[in-house]
Amino acid sequence: MTPGLTTANATPSGAPDGDRASRRGGFASATVPRHLARGAIGFGALAGSLVLLRAVGPASLLLAPIGLVALRGCPMCWAVGLVETVSAGRLRRSCTEGSCTLRRA
């Protein structure tokens, strides 16, 4: 922990409360519109790679990695990120005496 930083103003990870990155999960985006845009690009590229398969051939499968990168790995990862993005800053984890609870910020 940083010298001079008390546990009262630190998150369980040891980062200060003002650190926005500590409040977001690993899959969250900075804003909901940005996350939805990533989803549109990702799902569009995945769907396009399959739909264009008959017309373009195997070359259309080059869209699949683009879709997976936009979704940060998989459609479920994108969905988890959406929940993290929406709830970022709205929920706080409070741990006392070995028991953790979630509460509204």
Side-chain angles (χ1 to χ4, degrees), residues 72-98:
R72 292 188 184 160
C74 65
M76 187 56 138
C77 299
W78 180 85
V80 168
L82 179 62
V83 171
E84 289 178 353
T85 303
V86 169
S87 69
R90 294 184 183 177
L91 297 175
R92 299 261 193 251
R93 181 172 50 183
S94 174
C95 298
T96 55
E97 299 177 15

Side-chain angles (χ1 to χ4, degrees), residues 14-86:
D17 282 335
D19 186 10
R20 292 193 56 157
S22 67
R23 287 187 263 170
R24 292 196 328 242
F27 297 105
S29 295
T31 63
V32 174
R34 184 178 295 175
H35 196 83
L36 293 175
R38 273 191 31 243
I41 292 168
F43 287 115
L46 286 176
S49 71
L50 296 175
V51 170
L52 293 173
L53 191 58
R54 294 192 93 186
V56 180
S60 71
L61 295 178
L62 293 174
L63 288 173
I66 294 169
L68 292 176
V69 168
L71 295 175
R72 292 188 184 160
C74 65
M76 187 56 138
C77 299
W78 180 85
V80 168
L82 179 62
V83 171
E84 289 178 353
T85 303
V86 169

